[in-house]
Amino acid sequence: MSVINRKSVGVVLLSALLLGVLYCYMYQPNRVFGDVGVRRENGPGDDDIAASNDLHLVAPAHLQYKQPSIIHGRGDVVTVTPWLSPVVWEGTFNAVLLDSIYRPKNISIAATVFAVGKYIKFLKDFLETAEQHFFVGFKVHVYVFTDRPDEVPRVRMAAGRQLTVRPVPSSQRWQEISARRMELIQLLIEEQPRRANSYIFCLDVDSKFHGRWGTESLGGLVAVIHPGYYRDDRSRFPYERRPASRAHLAAGEGDFYYCGGAFGGLLQEVHQLAKTCRANFEDDAKEGIEAAWQEESHLNRYMWINKPSKVLSPEYLWQDFKSRNPEIQIIRFSGVIKNYAEIRPNV
């Protein structure tokens, strides 16, 4: 073999070796993502299943609905993020079409709600309005975490919907109650079978539904824009600003300010979020640091690195004490007016 041929063979073998190493790096299941410090723990094929379920949308062959337009639509709000995820507002989706696409998928929706201490008083309205508006016609399993299981109200639920009460200890600090939610959500998801068509939404109990919350909200990782800051410059967002905290976001960082009171997505995506936020919160605590808004601060840090695949507008968690701005054409879910001194143990 000539010297030239031997060199050519060597180049080919070296190239093949480098490609093999690159392939192993890209597709190893425990590769670290971003700088959040927690590894993915997907099972075989989880990524493929999730992508297929979330992106392959099949409509009934002869379904008729209003023709969509790429010229006319909501001109008063932004409906897509810079990373090309949809921002869901009234007038940006067809409910009949979406329900027709998702109903054959046999999807199931879990919802977590924490009714600890005096917050139990809000649970009845939450559950009754959820029956009227939250994924109506789909399989829904509501998990109520409470230290007062005997006070959980009896609410008539439609076929295919159920409620499970999960006892948790009470606390003398509302901040600890807030912080423990990520741990309990993580553990709950780890008990569930990893099915491609399973979603979970984590919602505040001191809220109630007023309008449809359905299949338009489904996505891999779903965030809700906070109603108190969506018109503000990000310099005014209440991010954790101390560099020592793992929830830290520096000046000039951050996309939107997301609610800790409403988020969700596919089980595997929310599991990764909860596991990461819990780990970062606990590591902060070991160093005597508590982020400005507990799990909400860590959630905003996580979603700055791991961009949500769908963003829900403030329609999906308004505040009852706020007057409605012109762009808010409907309120779907809102936090009720309350006296924090009355319901929070250490206020």
Side-chain angles (χ1 to χ4, degrees):
M1 185 181 292
S2 68
V3 174
I4 295 176
N5 284 341
R6 284 198 299 270
K7 286 184 177 179
S8 298
V9 171
V11 169
V12 170
L13 290 174
L14 180 60
S15 299
L17 178 62
L18 291 173
L19 286 172
V21 171
L22 180 61
Y23 179 89
C24 292
Y25 170 76
M26 291 177 65
Y27 293 101
Q28 59 179 307
N30 290 327
R31 181 163 56 92
V32 175
F33 281 65
D35 66 348
V36 293
V38 173
R39 296 177 182 272
R40 295 259 186 200
E41 292 188 346
N42 293 341
D46 277 357
D47 288 333
D48 295 335
I49 291 172
S52 173
N53 184 68
D54 204 31
L55 299 177
H56 191 60
L57 305 180
V58 180
H62 301 292
L63 180 68
Q64 295 187 1
Y65 52 91
K66 183 180 178 182
Q67 178 184 347
S69 173
I70 61 169
I71 299 174
H72 304 290
R74 289 292 296 263
D76 57 335
V77 291
V78 172
T79 59
V80 65
T81 68
W83 58 95
L84 301 181
S85 290
V87 183
V88 182
W89 297 84
E90 176 69 4
T92 63
F93 63 90
N94 185 307
V96 173
L97 172 60
L98 284 170
D99 286 352
S100 298
I101 288 171
Y102 279 98
R103 191 164 284 113
K105 290 176 176 284
N106 193 31
I107 65 171
S108 61
I109 310 296
T112 64
V113 59
F114 289 76
V116 179
K118 294 181 180 180
Y119 277 81
I120 193 76
K121 66 185 286 186
F122 302 110
L123 185 58
K124 189 172 188 291
D125 273 354
F126 176 94
L127 294 174
E128 289 182 343
T129 58
E131 280 298 293
Q132 299 169 24
H133 302 293
F134 184 72
F135 283 96
V136 174
F138 290 86
K139 291 188 295 186
V140 173
H141 194 155
V142 180
Y143 292 89
V144 176
F145 293 83
T146 182
D147 58 343
R148 301 183 181 187
D150 294 339
E151 297 180 37
V152 173
R154 294 183 179 274
V155 173
R156 185 181 180 87
M157 304 186 81
R161 300 167 74 93
Q162 60 181 310
L163 183 148
T164 297
V165 177
R166 306 281 291 239
V168 294
S170 56
S171 176
Q172 295 304 309
R173 296 184 69 244
W174 67 266
Q175 292 92 339
E176 292 174 0
I177 298 169
S178 172
R180 282 205 68 216
R181 292 200 301 180
M182 290 297 185
E183 174 189 355
L184 293 169
I185 291 165
Q186 174 194 338
L187 296 176
L188 174 67
I189 294 174
E190 288 173 357
E191 298 174 8
Q192 310 303 311
R194 296 294 182 92
R195 297 170 56 231
N197 53 357
S198 297
Y199 297 83
I200 186 168
F201 286 89
C202 309
L203 306 170
D204 271 358
V205 69
D206 52 341
S207 310
K208 61 183 180 180
F209 295 87
H210 307 274
R212 171 195 167 92
W213 181 320
T215 51
E216 75 283 352
S217 68
L218 295 177
L221 182 62
V222 181
V224 179
I225 294 179
H226 197 294
Y229 303 97
Y230 76 99
R231 288 182 162 202
D232 291 346
D233 184 84
R234 63 184 171 191
S235 62
R236 299 184 61 188
F237 294 168
Y239 292 142
E240 172 54 62
R241 299 297 189 182
R242 293 170 295 174
S245 172
R246 289 158 181 81
H248 169 245
L249 282 171
E253 294 182 346
D255 298 307
F256 308 107
Y257 190 76
Y258 300 116
C259 296
F263 60 92
L266 287 165
L267 281 186
Q268 57 265 40
E269 288 290 342
V270 179
H271 177 258
Q272 184 65 23
L273 179 152
K275 182 178 179 181
T276 302
C277 290
R278 174 194 176 184
N280 289 340
F281 184 93
E282 291 177 351
D283 287 344
D284 268 8
K286 291 173 185 175
E287 298 172 6
I289 302 170
E290 183 175 270
W293 289 101
Q294 296 79 45
E295 94 279 16
E296 185 172 86
S297 297
H298 287 280
L299 177 144
N300 271 277
R301 165 67 182 184
Y302 183 90
M303 289 189 173
W304 163 238
I305 303 298
N306 303 272
K307 306 297 189 189
S309 58
K310 185 167 288 185
V311 175
L312 306 183
S313 70
E315 298 169 0
Y316 289 83
L317 188 51
W318 195 246
Q319 295 167 317
D320 282 354
F321 64 81
K322 291 174 63 71
S323 58
R324 191 190 301 190
N325 294 326
E327 61 272 13
I328 306 297
Q329 297 181 2
I330 183 175
I331 295 174
R332 304 179 187 279
F333 187 56
S334 70
V336 302
I337 297 172
K338 58 248 177 206
N339 181 352
Y340 286 112
E342 177 187 331
I343 59 176
R344 286 181 172 175
N346 59 307
V347 172

